[in-house]
Amino acid sequence: MPWLTAIVFSPLAGALVLGTLPRSNEDAIRRSAFVFSLVPLVLCLAVAWLFEPGRPDMQFSERAAWIPSFGISYHLGVDGLSLFLLLLTAFLTPLVVLASWSEIRTRVKEFHVLVLLLETGMLGTFLALDLFLFYVFWELMLVPMYLLIGVWGGPRRVYAAVKFVLYTMAGSLLMLVAILYLAWAQARAAGEPSFDLLRLYELALSPAEQRWLFAAFALAFAIKVPVFPLHTWLPDAHVEAPTGGSVILAGVLLKMGTYGLLRFALPLFPLASTEAAPYLALLGTVGIVYGALVAMVQPDLKKLVAYSSVSHLGFVVLGLCSFNAQATAGAVYQMLGHGLSTGALFLLVGVLYERRHTRQIADFGGLWKVVPVYASFLLVITLASVGLPGLNGFVGEFLILLGAFAEHRVLAVLATSGVVLGAAYMLWMYQRVAFGPISHPENRELRDLTKRELATLAPILLLCFALGVYPAPLLERMGPSIELHLTRMRDKVERTLPHAPRPATEHEPSSVGPS
């Protein structure tokens, strides 16, 4: 059975069916969208069950010629680097549909069609092993997200949507030029062009070529992460997007940038990656501290969570640029942990906004007395975001700092301050929202979580505990692929320039000196 094709295109099939339903029957549209969003989740769980943990290479590979004369193929595959991001995408989409049940009141059919189209783009991006196919899925995500922000967003939605598109397009076009150059270089070396990623991993490029191509890829992915100082589109997009859009944006779309660095930019151009790693790691560390400091002074809950993403993803960039097994595993784990806890934070902010139509922290206080179930969920997710041991945020940050300390000692020490700052702004936010007197009479009438909201938040809460208490099954499955990733980079650096600095593996000291 072509598992991966079914995973990628089942949401698209669902979107097509939704398009045939009468616009007036909104409940049927919502229920159908929820059922269709469960299909890829079930298929992903089956793939995870059948996945062989000890294999580092691609599994469930599907390949077919698409445009043979240009070396373009339909090539999908999954390994330990993409398996859990695939699961995260399939897991969050049904929750987004549930969370939008009462929030989205206009153009209900169009909204759910776009969510399913976006899911196809996200799943395809994580599975594509042909650069042309990857670029198609990468761009496919742009249109639905632009419309979700621009049509169902807040008062400044058009500004935020256009800014999001302009930033993303600027990076994407440079990456497209680099992709075309790679295909041309493959034709120069082998006599025929190819966009196949596994073949391009073996392509010999001069140091100058690597530097230019790495710059084009890295810029596209750094905008998507976003890496400081390319982050300015993110707070606007988050604040103006509807709750479901914010969850997808924080939970999955930001991971496209870090996944792109891991899957494409670093292994395709390892020499340039090794040279650029100290600078990228520095930017990641600046993002950790800067994002935390700016989050601390935000009066708006959504903006606070948005800037916390800049800080948390700075850890991921630092981990990826450390080039050892611990830090890379921590980076992948942090992507999952951040997707869960930040997605849940946006859902919880959306619950408050639906009831009070405000996100200002000063408009709340004393919610523990009025809505204790809500306040309990918010407390656990806040602690998960802070990185409390036993919850999902701890494992990723610990592994990143452990691995980064071996490669970028000063930056690792500075990054540790981000953990302290993160605890400060998140716990201060919780104290102002949940404790103290009820200073606004409107808050006395607030309704606690409904059954639908509980059904949306409870699975995330359970996973936060599961990932925090027992990370071994995930680390065992991603470990072999991470070792292969680091070995591939090291071997290619040696072939390109035998005496150049090269990435280290777990069993070998790094030649990348401490910053």
Side-chain angles (χ1 to χ4, degrees), residues 229-257:
L230 303 169
H231 65 282
T232 58
W233 63 270
L234 182 66
D236 291 315
H238 268 314
V239 170
E240 298 304 324
T243 298
S246 293
V247 173
I248 290 178
L249 195 58
V252 182
L253 287 194
L254 304 188
K255 312 302 176 297
M256 298 297 175

Side-chain angles (χ1 to χ4, degrees), residues 345-403:
L345 281 172
F346 278 118
L347 288 172
L348 287 161
V349 173
V351 168
L352 279 186
Y353 187 75
E354 272 195 64
R355 287 157 171 70
R356 284 288 318 278
H357 302 291
T358 177
R359 295 187 299 263
Q360 296 298 306
I361 296 174
D363 290 336
F364 299 100
L367 294 191
W368 186 273
K369 301 169 189 170
V370 184
V371 285
V373 178
Y374 174 89
S376 302
F377 271 82
L378 182 60
L379 176 62
V380 175
I381 298 300
T382 297
L383 295 175
S385 182
V386 164
L388 188 78
L391 290 165
N392 56 315
F394 174 75
V395 178
E397 285 185 358
F398 175 77
L399 287 173
I400 288 170
L401 291 174
L402 181 68

